[in-house]
């Protein structure tokens, strides 16, 4: 009998005879005519007794006085012995009283068939069982992380505003747009966040920003994020502004992008022109923003340039200047010197040599948002971005006498300059400054 465990190959052959023959005739002819043909080692009877040849299967069909059929012989021999045995079958030329012919069609490798069945079954098991019952390790980690993030989220105020757990105790907070932004920042360990839920900023958030030392607005890089910042700077106390990359949302950022965006935050004074709506005259709780807006409305740019130019004697133009001022209302004539004095005091107006010293640096930096540190001989000793000016200047140890930068001169920069012994500050504009150190001269690029 055929042993399915040991069968390696199956010899497929076909037989045709000129008369009517049956299965026992064919099997007897195979054993009888191959006996002693290949020696004792390949005798079919001995091979079948030892199990190296299986049961010979014969299927015949007689029609019109002729017989045709197929013969299958299982073999556990090696390839060479199986090939010799198959070739010996083709020597049979007579079955019973009829002439016959046996032809080998092919030899089937049973192990190859089994291997193909194993592959197909393995595919089914992998697709149907692993995908449904065994999640990937990353999926398990994400599921656990998501549950932790949801558990860490807390709510602020009577309106249950989503926020991080550190929002109550931290002196520095980050204001984002929506609940998904808070969840994404919690995912990367940033827990001092609170959301505004859209352009309608809740009063609780506005009041909270006035109680914190540092407030950073972190919004999406689209039009909606810009509108939220415009509302925040009007009704809340915002110190820094951070934006996601153009076209991206905070909830979609990865850790590297979040850290980069927060490091590139800029002081609100540096971009106040972009986000403050100057046409609105409504009072603002944020006194700093209101003063900046009012100062910008009262200060005409041409007057600043005229003050710098008035230091150079020009007798031929003085009568015409006086005639023009006669036609101006008295209140405007009285107020104008005060506004010009606030921007560029007469005691700090540069002389002609100083114009030549700093004007080249100020011109080079226009539109670059960069800053240059100059020593006592006006040599450039360092350059940095305006957004990093405060931290770089605070930690800088070498001698710096002049700082030229494409940004707004703020009270904070003035105080650091006085502590560092800096003599001159040249910026694009002068912001909300209430205390001017006597040791620091302040210029604007327009007055050079």
């Amino acid at each position: 009998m055929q042993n399915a465990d040991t069968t390696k190959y199956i010899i497929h052959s076909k037989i045709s005879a000129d008369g009517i023959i049956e299965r026992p005739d064919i099997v007897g002819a195979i054993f009888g005519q191959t006996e002693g043909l290949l020696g004792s080692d390949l005798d079919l009877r001995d091979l079948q007794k030892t199990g190296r040849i299986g049961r010979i299967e014969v299927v015949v069909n007689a029609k019109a006085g002729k017989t045709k059929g197929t013969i299958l012989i299982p073999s556990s021999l090696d390839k060479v012995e199986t090939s010799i045995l198959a070739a010996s079958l083709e020597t049979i030329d007579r079955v019973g009283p009829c002439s016959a012919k046996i032809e080998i069609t092919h030899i089937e490798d049973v192990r190859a068939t089994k291997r193909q069945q194993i592959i197909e079954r393995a595919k089914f098991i992998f697709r149907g069982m692993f995908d449904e019952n065994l999640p990937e390790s990353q999926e398990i980690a994400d599921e656990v992380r998501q549950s932790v993030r949801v558990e860490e989220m807390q709510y602020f105020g009577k309106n249950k505003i989503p926020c991080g757990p550190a929002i109550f105790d931290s002196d520095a907070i980050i204001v984002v747009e929506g609940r998904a932004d808070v969840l994404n920042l919690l995912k990367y360990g940033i827990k001092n966040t609170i959301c505004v839920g859209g352009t309608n900023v809740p009063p609780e958030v506005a009041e909270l920003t006035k109680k914190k030392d540092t407030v950073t607005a972190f919004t999406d890089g689209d039009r909606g994020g810009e509108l939220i910042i415009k509302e925040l700077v009007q009704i809340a106390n915002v110190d820094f502004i951070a934006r996601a990359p153009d076209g991206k949302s905070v909830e979609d950022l990865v850790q590297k992008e979040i850290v980069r965006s927060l490091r590139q935050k800029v002081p609100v004074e540096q971009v106040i022109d972009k986000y403050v709506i100057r046409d609105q005259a409504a009072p603002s709780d944020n006194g700093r923003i209101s003063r900046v807006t009012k100062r910008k409305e009262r200060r005409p740019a041409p007057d600043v340039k005229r003050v710098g130019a008035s230091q150079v004697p020009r007798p031929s133009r003085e009568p015409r200047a006086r005639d023009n001022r006669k036609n101006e209302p008295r209140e405007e004539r009285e107020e104008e010197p005060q506004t010009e004095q606030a921007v560029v005091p007469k005691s700090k107006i540069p002389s002609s040599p100083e114009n030549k010293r700093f004007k080249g640096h100020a011109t080079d930096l226009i539109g670059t948002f960069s800053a240059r540190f100059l020593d006592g001989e006006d040599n450039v000793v360092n350059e940095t971005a305006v957004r990093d000016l405060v931290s770089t200047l605070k930690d800088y140890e070498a001698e710096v006498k002049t700082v030229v930068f494409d940004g707004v001169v703020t009270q904070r920069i003035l105080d650091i300059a006085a502590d560092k012994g800096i003599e001159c500050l040249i910026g694009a504009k002068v912001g909300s400054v209430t205390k001017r150190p006597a040791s620091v001269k302040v210029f604007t690029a327009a007055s050079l």
Side-chain angles (χ1 to χ4, degrees), residues 30 39 43 62 80-81 94 112 117 189-190 235 261 271 352 362 392 394 397-398 416 419 446:
I30 292 174
D43 184 73
V80 175
E81 294 173 335
R94 196 169 188 84
Q117 292 176 351
I190 302 175
I235 67 174
S261 299
V271 290
S352 180
T392 303
K394 189 181 297 184
E397 299 297 338
I416 296 175
D419 294 339

Side-chain angles (χ1 to χ4, degrees), residues 129-146:
M129 298 182 181
F130 280 97
D131 291 350
E132 295 178 1
N133 302 325
L134 299 177
E136 297 289 341
S137 59
Q138 184 62 38
E139 296 177 1
I140 297 175
D142 292 342
E143 185 176 350
V144 174
R145 189 179 294 111
Q146 176 69 18

Side-chain angles (χ1 to χ4, degrees), residues 29 35 98 128 144 191 207 211 216 241 267 287 293 352 362 366 399 437 443:
E35 184 177 1
C98 306
V144 174
K191 302 180 180 181
E207 290 297 326
K211 300 176 183 178
T216 301
I241 294 176
T293 305
S352 180
I366 292 177
E399 180 186 17
F443 309 119

